[in-house]
């Protein structure tokens, strides 16, 4: 089971190590804190773009209210992720809190794309391992980057493309599982619109809000049609 | 000393705000797991989000001011699609695409 989870998370390893290192390098070169604060942030905050934003907020000694608002807005896309995992995490017991805490873009991608057996407890145990492995890669990356600072010889340039490749692969897998191209077009178009209309920092949340609204309208349309053809049950 | 308190408070606030974004759906929609709308979102949202993340991050990996705009990321991206449709082995597709992207970036091709 551990090998299985490790295999599934391997692309995340190649993405999270260099990105975590990038954060760590940024952290030690911009700030005067001890190196271990970087992996500590990976442990308790655990959000890629959020931690990078945190470096500039720390450098500016931002007020705590501002920090809370900025972090919430930056990560607001996660508000939608839980909606598709409500059933899957149900009854997960002690694991549930950690499964929710660790719900990054990449973990969400893996958890919603992998094939599942009806044995929910067993699947939740695998979900837990996947989440844990991913966070360990991230913390390790943060620690290495912060320790080595600018000494890191970066000829791993471009290795973070592993995450882009992962998203492409998972898009294909989602299509194969659903047999429906509608959500793919909706997602791609929402991304295109967001990239044209919104500055980079807000593109993800704009696109996810747009696509969720589209899905709501889609549901409403389907539902109206079904209800029209059905006998009312009172 | 004051600086250490600030750092501790900063990390606690950041962690709390980030966790809040992840936990809110579970706090407010837990009782509606079986609602057809929640099921509809649960069925279609992951595919839509995956396509959206692929498009946005692919665009960000590309150099759009090159003489062949965007090809430095679009070519490896297309390679991932082709290899994945051909062999359907996730690790192989990801490794091939990443290696192609790294080679293109490090050799300075398509710039």
């Amino acid at each position: 089971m551990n090998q299985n989870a490790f295999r599934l998370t391997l692309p995340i390893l190649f993405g999270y190590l260099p990105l975590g290192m990038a954060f760590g390098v940024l952290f030690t070169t911009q700030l005067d804190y001890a190196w271990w604060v970087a992996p500590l942030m990976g442990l308790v905050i655990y959000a890629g773009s959020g931690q990078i934003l945190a470096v500039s907020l720390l450098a500016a000694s931002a007020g705590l209210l501002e920090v809370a608002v900025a972090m919430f807005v930056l990560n607001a896309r996660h508000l939608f992720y839980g909606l598709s995992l409500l059933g899957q995490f149900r009854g997960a017991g002690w694991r549930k809190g950690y499964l929710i805490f660790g719900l990054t873009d990449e973990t969400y991608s893996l958890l919603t794309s992998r094939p599942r057996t009806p044995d929910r407890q067993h699947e939740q145990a695998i979900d837990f391992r996947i989440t844990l492995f991913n966070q360990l890669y991230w913390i390790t990356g943060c620690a290495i980057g912060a320790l080595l600072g600018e000494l890191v010889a970066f000829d791993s340039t471009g290795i973070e493309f592993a995450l882009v490749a992962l998203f492409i692969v998972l898009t294909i897998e989602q299509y194969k599982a659903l047999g429906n191209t509608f959500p793919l077009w909706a997602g791609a178009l929402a991304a295109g619109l967001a990239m044209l209309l919104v500055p980079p920092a807000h593109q993800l949340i704009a696109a996810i809000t747009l696509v969720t609204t589209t899905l709501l309208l889609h549901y409403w349309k389907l539902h109206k049609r079904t209800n029209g053809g059905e006998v009312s049950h009172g | 000393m004051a600086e250490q308190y600030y750092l501790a408070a900063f990390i606690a606030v950041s962690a709390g705000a980030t966790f809040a974004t992840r936990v809110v759906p579970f706090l407010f929609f837990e009782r509606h797991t079986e609602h057809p709308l929640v099921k509809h979102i649960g069925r279609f949202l992951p595919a839509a989000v995956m396509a959206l993340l692929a498009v946005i991050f692919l665009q960000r990996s590309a150099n759009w001011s090159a003489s062949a705009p965007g090809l430095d990321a679009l070519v490896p991206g297309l390679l991932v699609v082709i290899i994945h449709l051909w062999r359907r082995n996730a690790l192989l597709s990801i490794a091939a695409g990443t290696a192609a992207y790294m080679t293109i970036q490090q050799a300075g091709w398509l710039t």
Side-chain angles (χ1 to χ4, degrees):
Chain A
M1 198 154 84
N2 272 330
Q3 287 93 321
N4 188 12
F6 178 67
R7 228 182 106 84
L8 280 168
T9 57
L10 211 50
I12 314 272
L13 172 67
F14 293 125
Y16 272 11
L17 271 186
L19 286 182
M21 282 168 68
F23 162 75
V25 170
L26 188 70
F27 182 89
T28 33
T29 51
Q30 302 285 311
L31 302 168
D32 256 346
Y33 296 110
W35 70 270
W36 51 263
V37 176
L40 177 71
M41 286 169 78
L43 179 71
V44 301
I45 304 175
Y46 188 33
S49 47
Q51 285 176 229
I52 288 167
L53 174 72
V55 172
S56 51
L57 291 172
L58 271 175
S61 301
L64 292 178
L65 182 65
E66 188 191 338
V67 172
V69 172
M71 284 291 182
F72 190 87
V73 171
L74 183 69
N75 290 311
R77 64 184 180 282
H78 296 134
L79 288 170
F80 300 105
Y81 290 179
L83 282 180
S84 39
L85 290 168
L86 289 171
Q88 203 164 302
F89 286 179
R90 194 165 234 192
W94 60 272
R95 293 192 177 97
K96 191 168 176 176
Y98 183 69
L99 285 170
I100 295 171
F101 165 80
L103 210 49
T104 59
D105 295 333
E106 291 75 15
T107 302
Y108 172 75
S109 306
L110 285 188
L111 297 192
T112 53
S113 301
R114 65 188 197 83
R116 292 180 173 271
T117 63
D119 183 353
R120 206 198 288 163
Q121 289 238 307
H122 174 73
E123 296 302 331
Q124 285 165 347
I126 298 179
D127 287 347
F128 183 82
R129 279 181 175 74
I130 290 175
T131 310
L132 184 67
F133 283 16
N134 287 348
Q135 195 184 8
L136 289 179
Y137 306 151
W138 176 252
I139 297 173
T140 308
C142 295
I144 296 175
L147 268 174
L148 300 185
E150 280 165 328
L151 293 176
V152 188
F154 265 114
D155 229 13
S156 53
T157 309
I159 199 171
E160 69 285 352
F161 191 79
L163 291 181
V164 183
L166 174 71
F167 292 139
I168 296 175
V169 163
L170 294 180
T171 305
I172 298 174
E173 289 299 324
Q174 289 277 352
Y175 163 69
K176 298 236 179 201
L178 271 177
N180 187 336
T181 53
F182 171 74
L184 302 189
W185 288 117
L189 280 175
L193 271 176
M195 292 188 305
L196 284 175
L197 302 175
V198 191
H202 307 299
Q203 284 167 0
L204 278 179
I205 180 65
I208 289 174
T209 309
L210 191 61
V211 87
T212 307
T213 314
T214 311
L215 290 181
L216 288 179
L217 294 173
H218 180 227
Y219 168 81
W220 183 62
K221 210 177 110 195
L222 286 177
H223 203 67
K224 219 167 102 184
R225 201 186 296 153
T226 335
N227 274 0
E230 250 179 23
V231 184
S232 166
H233 296 289
Chain B
M1 205 59 198
E3 201 174 327
Q4 263 141 40
Y5 282 124
Y6 172 71
L7 180 65
F10 181 98
I11 292 178
V13 165
S14 303
T18 303
F19 183 66
T21 62
R22 294 174 183 162
V23 80
V24 160
F26 294 92
L27 296 179
F28 292 97
F29 292 97
E30 190 73 80
R31 281 170 299 140
H32 307 292
T33 312
E34 297 302 315
H35 190 282
L37 175 59
V38 171
K39 285 193 149 177
H40 179 86
I41 297 283
R43 180 155 173 250
F44 290 112
L45 188 65
V49 168
M50 236 49 76
L52 176 165
L53 290 173
V55 170
I56 291 189
F57 285 103
L58 191 63
Q59 185 263 336
R60 289 183 185 175
S61 311
N63 176 5
W64 295 99
S65 49
S67 54
L71 281 190
D72 61 331
L74 291 178
V75 168
L78 192 64
L79 188 69
V80 174
V81 174
I82 292 169
I83 292 184
H84 198 67
L85 290 176
W86 175 39
R87 301 301 296 265
R88 216 170 162 195
N89 177 334
L91 284 183
L92 177 70
S93 324
I94 291 166
T98 308
Y101 182 79
M102 289 175 73
T103 309
I104 290 172
Q105 297 299 325
Q106 292 180 16
W109 295 337
L110 297 173
T111 49

